[in-house]
Amino acid sequence: MKPSAANEITDKLDTSTPVLILGGAANSAALARNLGRAGVAISAAGKPGCLALYSRYCSHKFHAPEGVAVQDFWRALLLDAPKPELQGSLIFALCDDSIEFVTANYAELSQRYLLEGFDPALRHEMLDKKATLVRARAAGVATPNFWDVDSAEKLEAIRDEVTFPVMVKPIHSHIFIPIFGRKLFIIEKDWDELVEKVQMAQDANCEVMVMEMVPGPDSLLSSYYTYIDEDGRWLFHYTKRVIRRYPVNRGGGCYHDSKWLPETAEAGRKFFASMPWRGLGNIEFKKDLRDGQLKVIEVNPRFTDAHRMVVAGGLPIDEIIYRRQTGQHVPAFTSYEEGVRMWNPLRDFLAFRELNKRGELSFAGWIKSLMEGRKVMPILSLSDPMPTLVRLREEFGRAFRRLGG
């Protein structure tokens, strides 16, 4: 599906409203570049992983000091001693920490800054992985089985219900990941290990749930993106699928494919239409081959790390939202280019290596998969190289540690 003529933006963009990026990673660099090239003044504030901080399109850069909680840093920067150069900026929250900060301080922030059009309570609710699944079930959208284990008695009560493998999954990822350095724990078959990991998380004051693992390869994963404005108008619909993740079955996507998936779009629309959702929404599913249903994995109420691929396919969702929030005309976007693939070479090689050891992917099969589609990379830009260099330093460090292990 190629972008239609209706997708072309012919009105000149009024760039007088600056943008402030809070947090994020690859999504922050993509957003800074896209709107920066269009002439929008970009500022960024966050921890070192916020790659917009290293982009040449970012004119004001505010690095969170080491040892200072990032939300405290943002409060000082924006509310306690606000910087005059940030006054009136449109704020984009690109990670769970910044979403929590913006939703918790929505009324106060809105007096000085322009915020995305969203319901703060609902957006904050989507940070809670268990609440997301509860809301999905209420909407009639399928989910994996999951269990509340906030006490030893509740955990013991599910002993006969749990079918391995399962995940010990955090309720709030942005609290869990900095402590454990991973997104979740996977328990293959051992009840005692499951009890140990739940206890370990709870000892660290991390709320967790036990969640069924939907069987099958990562290629069964797909996502739906949309934006519903304050008037209830759906500004676009977009779907993609994952080809590979690294680490396999639990890591971030390293090879994605821009593809229209009607079943994924229908399930995503059903979920967001079940509530008074406003703003940007992304929901991820995994196809369960046992019953043929798409099962909700998680919701991200923000731009994702696949943002560069979305825009490369002819759907400039950042400009769409910028236009909408600054009162400019937004044309209808009814299609996009399929077959655009976002590829992270290093992480995808490591995914191949892992799959090859498991007998699930040959070298010839891996090479064949790379011959298809038009490629974009998450970070690489010769005209704006610093985010690439920073990310490569991080990824090579992680890769060497994994290979060494």
Side-chain angles (χ1 to χ4, degrees):
M1 175 165 58
K2 292 282 187 181
S4 67
N7 285 12
E8 296 178 3
I9 300 179
T10 56
D11 293 356
K12 181 177 174 58
L13 180 67
D14 179 351
T15 61
S16 58
T17 301
V19 159
L20 171 61
I21 295 170
L22 296 183
N27 54 353
S28 72
L31 178 61
R33 288 164 174 169
N34 292 342
L35 294 182
R37 290 189 190 104
V40 178
I42 306 294
S43 300
K47 297 184 288 189
C50 175
L51 296 179
L53 289 168
Y54 309 97
S55 172
R56 72 180 183 87
Y57 293 100
C58 185
S59 53
H60 297 103
K61 305 175 182 184
F62 303 93
H63 295 259
E66 188 175 351
V68 175
V70 71
Q71 293 193 39
D72 292 342
F73 165 68
W74 287 324
R75 166 164 276 284
L77 179 72
L78 299 178
L79 295 173
D80 296 341
K83 299 288 186 182
E85 62 266 35
L86 299 179
Q87 183 77 25
S89 293
L90 170 58
I91 294 178
F92 283 105
L94 298 191
C95 64
D96 288 359
D97 267 316
S98 56
I99 291 171
E100 186 171 70
F101 169 75
V102 170
T103 54
N105 298 280
Y106 187 87
E108 197 173 355
L109 286 167
S110 63
Q111 295 176 18
R112 293 179 175 274
Y113 309 97
L114 185 61
L115 303 180
E116 295 176 72
F118 58 79
D119 180 314
L122 274 179
R123 180 167 284 206
H124 187 267
E125 183 181 325
M126 292 302 106
L127 299 181
D128 184 317
K129 305 302 184 188
K130 185 171 68 176
T132 299
L133 296 177
V134 170
R135 190 173 278 278
R137 284 189 173 179
V141 181
T143 72
N145 290 322
F146 62 96
W147 298 271
D148 185 1
V149 292
D150 60 3
S151 70
E153 292 76 19
K154 286 183 179 180
L155 180 57
E156 181 60 31
I158 69 170
R159 181 191 283 264
D160 295 331
E161 294 181 46
V162 169
T163 302
F164 291 97
V166 294
M167 298 177 286
V168 176
K169 189 167 184 176
I171 303 300
H172 296 99
S173 295
H174 64 297
I175 298 174
F176 183 93
I177 293 173
I179 296 173
F180 294 103
R182 60 179 66 201
K183 296 170 68 174
L184 46 83
F185 296 122
I186 295 177
I187 315 300
E188 296 291 347
K189 57 182 179 180
D190 190 288
W191 174 261
D192 290 338
E193 184 186 359
L194 173 61
V195 173
E196 176 193 348
K197 290 298 192 290
V198 170
Q199 188 62 54
M200 184 187 301
Q202 291 173 344
D203 287 346
N205 293 318
C206 292
E207 294 180 273
V208 293
M209 61 181 169
V210 173
M211 182 171 164
E212 171 190 32
M213 283 195 71
V214 177
D218 291 327
S219 56
L220 296 173
L221 290 161
S222 60
S223 299
Y224 167 76
Y225 297 67
T226 193
Y227 189 95
I228 307 174
D229 71 12
E230 293 91 331
D231 299 324
R233 187 166 61 116
W234 302 64
L235 299 187
F236 57 81
H237 306 283
Y238 175 89
T239 61
K240 72 169 184 70
R241 68 185 183 97
V242 169
I243 300 174
R244 282 184 290 274
R245 290 194 296 171
Y246 181 76
V248 173
N249 290 335
R250 62 187 187 277
C254 55
Y255 197 25
H256 308 253
D257 183 23
S258 178
K259 185 175 179 62
W260 179 247
L261 304 164
E263 185 181 7
T264 300
E266 181 182 356
R269 288 192 62 150
K270 185 176 183 180
F271 176 82
F272 289 116
S274 71
M275 64 190 93
W277 184 264
R278 294 295 181 266
L280 181 64
N282 159 253
I283 183 167
E284 184 177 27
F285 301 93
K286 187 171 184 180
K287 183 89 166 186
D288 192 334
L289 298 179
R290 297 170 298 181
D291 57 17
Q293 291 187 300
L294 288 170
K295 305 287 180 68
V296 175
I297 302 302
E298 64 179 7
V299 170
N300 289 305
R302 54 173 172 76
F303 298 125
T304 70
D305 278 356
H307 184 60
R308 190 175 190 182
M309 179 179 72
V310 180
V311 175
L315 197 57
I317 63 177
D318 41 24
E319 183 178 340
I320 291 171
I321 297 169
Y322 181 89
R323 283 177 174 272
R324 178 63 184 83
Q325 296 313 123
T326 57
Q328 302 181 61
H329 172 65
V330 180
F333 277 77
T334 56
S335 61
Y336 56 88
E337 181 182 352
E338 295 187 77
V340 178
R341 293 191 170 189
M342 193 169 80
W343 182 47
N344 183 316
L346 175 60
R347 295 180 65 81
D348 194 49
F349 172 74
L350 295 173
F352 155 71
R353 187 172 177 268
E354 188 175 340
L355 290 166
N356 185 257
K357 285 183 177 179
R358 294 161 56 160
E360 297 177 18
L361 181 64
S362 67
F363 180 73
W366 180 58
I367 293 299
K368 182 179 178 182
S369 74
L370 300 180
M371 302 301 290
E372 301 173 6
R374 177 167 71 86
K375 303 289 187 299
V376 296
M377 294 188 186
I379 305 294
L380 181 64
S381 171
L382 297 180
S383 63
D384 185 30
M386 282 307 297
T388 309
L389 296 175
V390 170
R391 174 53 67 86
L392 283 176
R393 183 180 62 193
E394 295 172 356
E395 293 205 346
F396 272 111
R398 284 195 295 263
F400 284 129
R401 286 193 294 271
R402 287 184 182 276
L403 288 170

